[in-house]
Amino acid sequence: MTGIAYTGVPSAEELRACPGIPTPERRKKGRVAVIECVQEIPCNPCAAACPFHAISIPGEITALPRLDGELCTGCGRCVALCPGLAITLVDETYGEEEGAVDFPYEFLPLPAEGDTVDAVGRDGRTLCAARVVSVRRPEANDGTRVIRIAVPKRFLDDVKSIRRLARKEEEDAWTTK
Amino acid sequence: MKKLRTEVAVVGGGPAGLSAAAEAARAGAKVLLIDENKRLGGQLVKQIHKFFGSEAHHAGVRGYQIARRLLRDVEDAGVTVASNALAYGLFPEKELGVVWDGKHCQVSAERIVLAAGAKENYLAFPGSTLPGVMGAGAAQTMANINRVLPGRRIVMLGSGNVGLIVSYQLMQAGADVVAVVEGADHIGGYGVHAAKLRRAGVPFYLSHTVKRASGDGALARVEIVQVGKNWQSIPGTELTLEADTLCLAAGLNPMTELAWMAGCAFLYLPAFGGHVPAHDAKMETTVPGVYVAGDITGVEEASTAMEEGRMAGLSAAESLGYGAGAALDAERAAIQRRLDDLRAGERGAIRRESKARQTAAAADQRQGGGAT
Ligand SMILES: Cc1cc2nc3c(=O)[nH]c(=O)nc-3n(C[C@H](O)[C@H](O)[C@H](O)COP(=O)(O)OP(=O)(O)OC[C@H]3O[C@@H](n4cnc5c(N)ncnc54)[C@H](O)[C@@H]3O)c2cc1C
Ligand code: SF4
Ligand code: SF4
């Protein structure tokens, strides 16, 4: 069976029906939010996070968040404020061959700018190599980092995060029992 | 033995109890808030993740920070806080037996709000007593409060929100989650939480359960097996996973002991985690003057717990003569609207239905119908 409730990965149908995905026309104009929130849950911080009112939760709080691509400036405020980490930014206009993806990241260690890392898709499988463009920790994010990576354009629809980096023992603030 | 009198005694200092205490005190009542922990906040204290729910309920804010805000409200409202105080009994005439800082005391209250939350379900299977097998809540306390990693290779049993969130937090703390095992054929918790784990490479084994845990003195292996529709194991589908920790996240059940002692009428609602006290829309149980709020009324969420707490606090205060009239009615209507909203949608349907049965049972009981 497919679909987020069976696999943890939104299915193609769920994504097609999802009101949080920007149109291809809007994507051609530059950086924009992609909200892959496909299940009706009582949640709405994304709508409140957007300073441009580009995200709405029409009616009941369980409705799916709807993106108005024309209002979205790609500012990224919603990315780290979504507790579901369901929002990324895509930028098709980033380069000739490359597009950029911004995604929230809450693991340690962090990659550094310029590093080459493995870009992964919704199911955690490695899709391609990616270059880390920036690692930011905006004030409003309360600890959640937003990482921007550059990837070949043909992977832009599917890249969602990076493979977790191995921990170095000496960096380990934790002890085992 | 020390004897205390108060107008409203609230048992439990989680989001429900904190909200109830603040609201009742703001209305003018003298309130004593009793919690067994040194630090108030209930489940919120160990939640380092940003909370779900509506903006109006601090969603997007980390759980322990929500607790801090609620505690500030309680202090500002003039509530007397008894932390490190366990209420062990509720006797006739609304007398609570409490062990406060190791000393016995007796609290007599005119109104009581029970907001004791819920506890983890226990599971037994061969090897379930091995060191390394633990409740997900315990693993979370180790990682988030004591900053001790329970293990390096974790198997999580249960894919409800607790299983999913604790898995993610253990990964944040540096562990690897080698599997999330779920008996049902679908993931129990929110898709967005499951998606975080999938992106991070965690495999899900649905329609599977743990057959046995083994190891020499400590957990080393977890054997899982596929299950059919009636949860019977399918021979030949066993799979052995190497792991040093097996976390059990098999659901929560309401902490109802004090409500039983009080003589409240109960009903059985599986969607809420088991037996729950019947209550009316004002959160009053079938025992006059005894109110309930939060997970004790059925396992839901912090946002619903806060709203139910407010409702219970306002109602308890009202029945003592604090606050009345149109303003109070409007406030209660607003709370009810937010509660309905939180239980809207497809996933909320079962909770909506369960709540309706719970309030209907209270009404029946009052009319002498006798619901169980
Ligand atoms: C891992 C996890 C993640 C969660 N994530 C979210 C989320 O993102 N969003 C959300 O809305 N909800 C979330 N929840 C649910 C939320 O935490 C609970 O629904 C909420 O805390 C319930 O509130 P409560 O006040 O009813 O009970 P609790 O928070 O359980 O508080 C009850 C308190 O009462 C105390 N107590 C009990 N009995 C006694 C007694 N006899 N004497 C003295 N003290 C007593 C307990 O020690 C406890 O402190 C999560 C829960 C867990 C476990
Ligand atoms: S990227 Fe900025 S403008 Fe676009 S939806 Fe998110 S918060 Fe709004
Ligand atoms: S904040 Fe995130 S999880 Fe919540 S509704 Fe918005 S997109 Fe979905």
Side-chain angles (χ1 to χ4, degrees), chain A residues 5 7 39 44 141-142 164, chain B residues 50 55 62 176 187 191 198:
Chain A
T7 60
Q39 205 176 47
N44 70 5
N141 291 3
D142 188 22
R164 206 156 62 113
Chain B
K50 291 178 186 163
E55 263 281 314
R62 296 185 193 280
D176 287 322
I187 296 167
R198 287 302 311 272

Side-chain angles (χ1 to χ4, degrees), chain B residues 1-4 83-88 96-107:
Chain B
M1 185 168 53
K2 203 164 138 190
K3 290 195 179 175
L4 292 171
S83 55
N84 196 18
L86 173 76
Y88 63 84
L96 282 164
V98 180
V99 180
W100 185 359
D101 278 333
K103 285 192 228 43
H104 258 278
C105 64
Q106 194 183 325
V107 174

Side-chain angles (χ1 to χ4, degrees), chain A residues 82-166:
Chain A
C82 161
L85 307 190
I87 311 181
T88 53
L89 303 180
V90 285
D91 184 2
E92 280 184 10
T93 64
Y94 177 76
E96 278 295 298
E97 310 281 311
E98 285 179 328
V101 180
D102 288 36
F103 58 92
Y105 193 73
E106 300 186 323
F107 296 121
L108 289 173
L110 291 168
E113 283 180 24
D115 281 2
T116 301
V117 292
D118 290 334
V120 300
R122 297 176 184 87
D123 60 1
R125 255 182 286 200
T126 301
L127 294 171
C128 59
R131 185 165 41 79
V132 177
V133 177
S134 62
V135 179
R136 287 172 306 128
R137 184 184 182 165
E139 194 70 41
N141 291 3
D142 188 22
T144 301
R145 299 333 194 262
V146 175
I147 297 180
R148 177 172 301 166
I149 53 176
V151 295
K153 276 194 181 156
R154 68 198 159 97
F155 293 111
L156 210 48
D157 280 344
D158 292 318
V159 165
K160 289 291 149 193
S161 188
I162 58 171
R163 183 166 300 283
R164 206 156 62 113
L165 303 170

Side-chain angles (χ1 to χ4, degrees), chain B residues 12 26 68 71 94-95 155 157-158 162 259 273 301 323:
Chain B
R26 249 184 247 136
R68 251 184 243 159
L71 189 54
K94 302 194 180 60
E95 298 253 324
V155 172
L157 179 60
V162 173
E301 300 188 319

